[in-house]
């Protein structure tokens, strides 16, 4: 039987061959970029996950680290010991190592010991927000490192592939003339010519196979890591001591004799402190309601054509006073609340409780919550405030509050416990004050808000806003006229948390807490008066009579007069 003749391959036209090689070149380049980017992304993510990441927990400096092989949330307090419980992160666990608290420059470590103990109590009083802060920090770093690793490895892989192709192209050019001569020899068969000319290939197959192998291996590694991180069996809650029941540390297991001793000795005090603190501020709120009822039962407040606005500032995480602020807002039926800053102490994500507590107490249907962040706040706090319903005031835009146009901005300075106030970036208070004055000249707000008085002074002096609210000084200054020709006034709010400067507001009031209800005319948009509410450390609450805000009459100037 005669053997079948091999099929005759139809040679590609020169143009078709070039197009085919170009497509193979592009395909290999895309494959290289994908596999090297995937490998880099995984490498960057793994590096970010297992490497400790700096995190701020109120006054504490700490590091957070992902623990894929351990599904527990651990707080390492160094020589004191550690505490852990099952983690709320489905990907695994997280470990926090707490460092020493910075000691203010004007104090010794011994002299600061009492404050340090209180700050550790604050740290252990809210472990859930601490875990959320750690998970957010670690997850954000993993995301950023994965993107950076993918970009870096992808660029490197593509560059290496380009060098490989270029090197092969040079070799092809070196042998091109020889191959052309060989191909023209008449005594060579077609099979010999194809064998010799087949070496000219612009797509290195071995490189493509390598990239494909890397991609498959990376995917398998990613799947394995995902399986290992989601198949954790959470350990049952174990408590070192029954004294933790009913406290924020319920469910934790303690390690270390010093920490166990601290909790054994202080656990009861912690529960007593929480109970006493709640009782203290419940009584303050009750005292306010009683005072308000007595004051206005015969002459109720008038609301026709008037807008009532509650002004608070420098609460410094005194969540006890939040219920009092809520009672004031409800009694006066305020249309909005303006917080002129320093809602927190260090501006860290672990202080979310400070933000959510204030928001929960003040939120009501139709009521606007506004914030001009202070030097103890931060962009993180601004994000959390937005999450919990605040409108964060920003430069160049106005926010409507019951028909009033409100403009404000964040403080360019930054402060933390044990760290002196310093610029957050390149802008100074003077820079922001000038920018705010220029923006007010264009927008003409009815109310101008900033944390530091110097930030709104120029705009008020120029008459570009009729009323301004600031804080920062912890001392109340009633509305004072800054420009008698335009009738502009500035009010400096006191500390609504009763806080002494640069100290935590844990427990009862440290000094008089101050809030102000400012009354505006809906038609003229002018502030016509205010009520001053003051709470003393002995829980006494006073509400002032209505204090009118009257511009100084200005006589018309005589032509030619100085």
């Amino acid at each position: 039987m005669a053997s079948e003749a091999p099929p005759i391959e139809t040679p590609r036209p020169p143009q078709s061959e070039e197009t085919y090689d170009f497509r193979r070149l592009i395909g290999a380049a895309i494959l290289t970029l994908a596999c090297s980017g995937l490998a880099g992304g995984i490498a960057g993510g793994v590096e970010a996950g297992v490497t400790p990441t700096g995190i701020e927990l109120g006054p504490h400096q700490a590091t957070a680290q992902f623990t894929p092989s351990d599904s527990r949330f651990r707080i390492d307090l160094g020589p004191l010991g550690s505490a852990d419980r099952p983690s709320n992160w489905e990907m695994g666990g997280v470990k926090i190592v707490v460092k020493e608290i910075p000691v203010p420059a004007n104090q010794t470590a011994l002299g600061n010991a009492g404050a340090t103990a209180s700050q550790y109590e604050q740290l252990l009083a809210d472990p859930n927000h601490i875990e959320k802060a750690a998970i957010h920090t670690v997850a954000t770093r993993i995301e950023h490192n994965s993107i950076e690793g993918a970009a870096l490895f992808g660029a490197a892989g593509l560059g290496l592939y380009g060098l490989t192709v270029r090197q092969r192209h040079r070799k092809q050019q070196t042998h091109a003339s020889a191959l052309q001569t060989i191909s023209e020899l008449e005594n060579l068969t077609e099979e010999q010519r194809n064998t010799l000319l087949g070496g000219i290939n612009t797509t290195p197959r071995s490189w493509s196979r390598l990239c494909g192998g890397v991609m498959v291996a990376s995917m398998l590694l990613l799947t394995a890591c995902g399986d290992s991180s989601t198949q954790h069996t959470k350990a049952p809650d174990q408590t070192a001591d029954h004294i933790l029941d009913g406290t924020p540390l319920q469910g934790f297991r303690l390690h270390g004799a010093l920490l166990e001793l601290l909790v054994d000795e202080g656990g009861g005090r912690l529960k007593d402190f929480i109970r006493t603190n709640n009782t203290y501020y419940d009584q303050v709120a009750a005292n306010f309601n009683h005072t308000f009822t007595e004051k206005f039962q015969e002459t109720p407040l008038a609301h026709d054509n008037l807008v009532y606005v509650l002004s608070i500032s420098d609460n410094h995480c005194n969540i006890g006073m939040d219920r009092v602020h809520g009672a004031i807002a409800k009694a006066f039926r305020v249309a909005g609340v303006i917080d002129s800053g320093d809602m927190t102490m260090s501006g860290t994500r672990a202080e979310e409780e400070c933000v959510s507590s204030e928001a929960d107490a003040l939120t009501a249907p139709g009521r606007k919550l506004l914030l001009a962040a202070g030097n103890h706040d931060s962009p993180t706090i601004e994000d959390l405030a937005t999450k919990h319903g605040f409108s964060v005031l920003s430069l160049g835009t106005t926010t409507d509050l019951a028909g009033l146009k409100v403009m404000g901005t964040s403080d360019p300075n930054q402060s933390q416990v044990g760290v002196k106030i310093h610029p957050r970036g390149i802008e100074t208070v003077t820079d922001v004050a000038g920018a705010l004055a220029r923006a007010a000249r264009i927008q003409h707000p009815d109310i101008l808000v900033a944390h530091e008085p110097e930030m709104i002074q120029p705009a008020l002096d120029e008459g570009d806003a009729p009323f301004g609210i600031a804080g920062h000084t912890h001392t109340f200054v009633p509305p004072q006229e800054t420009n008698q020709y335009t009738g502009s006034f500035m009010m400096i709010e006191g500390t609504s948390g009763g806080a002494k400067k640069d100290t935590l507001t844990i427990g009862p009031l440290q000094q008089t807490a101050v809030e102000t209800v400012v009354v505006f005319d809906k038609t003229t948009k002018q502030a016509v008066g205010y009520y001053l509410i003051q709470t003393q450390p002995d829980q006494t609450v006073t509400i002032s009579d209505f204090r009118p805000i009257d511009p100084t009459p200005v006589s018309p100037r005589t032509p030619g007069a100085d």
Side-chain angles (χ1 to χ4, degrees), residues 272-283:
D272 290 341
F273 169 78
I274 294 173
R275 188 183 306 111
T276 302
N277 200 56
N278 286 334
T279 301
Y280 177 91
Y281 285 105
D282 284 343
Q283 186 61 52

Side-chain angles (χ1 to χ4, degrees), residues 5 62 68 92 140 178 203 297 370 372 449 468 476 555 562:
T140 300
T203 306
Q297 62 181 349
L370 308 181
V449 188
F476 176 74
S555 301
D562 292 336

Side-chain angles (χ1 to χ4, degrees), residues 214-225:
V214 170
M215 180 175 288
V216 172
S218 299
M219 291 300 293
L220 291 175
L221 177 61
L222 187 62
T223 302
C225 291

